[in-house]
Amino acid sequence: MAAITDVARLAGVSKSTASRALSGHGYVSESTRRRVTDAAAEIGYIASPNAASLVTGRTKNVGMVIPFVNRWFFGEVLEGAERALLSAGYDLTLYNLALEGPERDRVFDFFLARKRVDAVIAVGVDLDEREVEVIGRRDKPIVVLGGSAPGAPRLAVDDFAAGRLATEHLIQLGHTRIAHLAGAAPGSAARSVQQLRSDGFRHAMHAAGLEPAGVDGGVIEAEMTLPGGYTAGLQLLGHPTARPTAVFAASDEIAFGVMRAAERLGIAVPSALSITGFDGHEYAELFGLTTVEQYPEDQGRIAVEEVMRALGEAPSDDDRGWADRPLATRLVVRSSTTAPSR
């Protein structure tokens, strides 16, 4: 295997100069840096990350914790984050975080606390004070996307406002019998995404002088998947006397399931049932789904920008973070919503 000594000899510099040129730490003229990197490429030298971390104190690795690895939203966030980290010269280590129990504890007490990551991005999970403290004691920045963590920067769309907007769209079309298929929230955190979207729904209904329509008080929890939406949709729509004329689903995948349930029950969309979703799923246009779009791939990139800022690696003129600003959303109206039939 090629060694740093071989690179230095080929480039005609000292070993310490070659090391500074390849690590990026310490001054080296641009012409010397190019000569060293060209020499390294010629002989196939790859710097040891472990050796570099001994010098810099950095592992060039970021840990990401997510609750699901097989759902569209989290896959999009992961793709955006991975691309941004690669561009910044960082690796990504992914941890599938259980809702509770010893498996979840091990992620924080061992993997993130003791293994070598420079920072943590938590996506769609609510972290408690102990979990945040475990990471904070080792001076590892935490950035939270979607969920919450005491004292950590939080990046999120305005789920309350977006839930209200989706509901107001149905109200403005003339619907008065509106139900909500809420996401099944892990735990009862007041700032959970699912709770905030439900609160936005209830606020819009109350402001219009309306009560949720349908069985179980017009609000049914569903797993944020197509099968979850299908099951909840059958429950909601299977009672003709209590059937709503419109539904706000907490995710597009729930909405797709409701569409399938309506089809099975012979309920036409949108003439007999209007449906709005939330997410901007890649199949939303195919289904003709009216939805509040968010942009998870961009959110993953923005989370990495926040991490780089916390690590002191953001551009010097980039001093404004995203933590105090809601991330982008947009209501996109398609063919799944219309005025109620009279």
Side-chain angles (χ1 to χ4, degrees), residues 193-228:
V193 166
Q194 297 90 332
Q195 185 62 54
L196 288 168
R197 292 177 191 176
S198 292
D199 288 347
F201 165 78
R202 290 187 174 90
H203 183 276
M205 294 291 284
H206 179 75
L210 301 174
E211 293 293 331
V215 296
D216 297 328
V219 178
I220 298 175
E221 285 196 356
E223 290 297 323
M224 296 181 75
T225 63
L226 194 156

Side-chain angles (χ1 to χ4, degrees), residues 288-310:
L289 178 65
T290 294
T291 186
V292 177
E293 284 188 346
Q294 59 176 331
Y295 309 97
E297 187 172 337
D298 287 346
Q299 291 175 16
R301 173 184 54 78
I302 290 168
V304 170
E305 290 177 3
E306 284 296 309
V307 163
M308 293 299 107
R309 187 175 290 106

Side-chain angles (χ1 to χ4, degrees), residues 108 119-122 127 131-133 135-136 140-144 149 152-153 307:
F108 290 91
V120 176
I121 299 173
L127 306 183
E131 292 167 339
V132 174
E133 183 182 358
I135 306 305
K140 301 179 191 297
I142 302 177
V143 172
V144 179
V307 163

Side-chain angles (χ1 to χ4, degrees), residues 9-294:
R9 185 182 304 112
L10 182 60
V13 298
S14 68
K15 182 178 175 180
S16 60
T17 299
S19 179
R20 290 199 305 274
L22 293 174
S23 68
H25 294 273
Y27 174 75
V28 176
S29 70
E30 187 57 34
S31 61
T32 299
R33 189 182 307 278
R34 280 199 304 268
R35 196 161 73 249
V36 172
T37 54
D38 288 347
E42 182 177 339
I43 64 176
Y45 172 78
I46 300 176
S48 166
N50 291 332
S53 69
L54 291 174
V55 176
T56 66
R58 293 279 174 85
T59 67
K60 307 292 281 187
N61 186 35
V62 170
M64 177 179 283
V65 294
I66 63 175
F68 306 101
V69 296
N70 59 345
R71 294 189 183 177
W72 174 82
F73 174 84
F74 296 101
E76 291 289 300
V77 169
L78 180 59
E79 185 169 344
E82 185 175 36
R83 287 180 178 175
L85 285 168
L86 287 173
S87 296
Y90 274 72
D91 291 325
L92 171 68
T93 301
L94 182 66
Y95 300 95
N96 188 191
L97 192 65
L99 295 182
E100 58 184 9
E103 290 186 1
R104 179 175 176 126
D105 292 340
R106 276 196 295 274
V107 169
F108 290 91
D109 295 336
F110 179 75
F111 293 109
L112 292 177
R114 301 181 189 178
K115 289 200 172 182
R116 303 186 66 80
V117 297
D118 294 331
V120 176
I121 299 173
V123 183
V125 293
D126 295 312
L127 306 183
D128 61 31
E129 290 184 7
R130 189 196 73 83
E131 292 167 339
V132 174
E133 183 182 358
V134 167
I135 306 305
R137 281 200 303 264
R138 287 148 178 91
D139 296 323
K140 301 179 191 297
I142 302 177
V143 172
V144 179
L145 176 60
S148 62
R154 181 176 189 264
L155 310 174
V157 303
D158 189 335
D159 287 289
F160 176 87
R164 182 180 62 198
L165 176 63
T167 308
E168 287 173 345
H169 168 66
L170 297 171
I171 293 170
Q172 289 166 3
L173 287 173
H175 291 277
T176 58
R177 295 183 51 77
I178 306 171
H180 176 45
L181 292 187
S188 57
R191 299 186 73 189
S192 73
V193 166
Q194 297 90 332
Q195 185 62 54
L196 288 168
R197 292 177 191 176
S198 292
D199 288 347
F201 165 78
R202 290 187 174 90
H203 183 276
M205 294 291 284
H206 179 75
L210 301 174
E211 293 293 331
V215 296
D216 297 328
V219 178
I220 298 175
E221 285 196 356
E223 290 297 323
M224 296 181 75
T225 63
L226 194 156
Y230 176 72
T231 299
L234 290 177
Q235 178 184 350
L236 176 68
L237 303 175
H239 300 267
T241 58
R243 184 180 296 160
T245 63
V247 174
F248 163 44
S251 77
D252 287 352
E253 290 178 89
I254 292 177
F256 299 153
V258 177
M259 288 180 161
R260 182 66 186 91
E263 181 183 17
R264 177 175 174 178
L265 295 171
I267 301 170
V269 176
S271 59
L273 180 71
S274 287
I275 301 172
T276 63
F278 195 119
D279 273 339
H281 193 285
E282 60 184 335
Y283 294 155
E285 185 172 5
L286 178 66
F287 279 80
L289 178 65
T290 294
T291 186
V292 177
E293 284 188 346
Q294 59 176 331

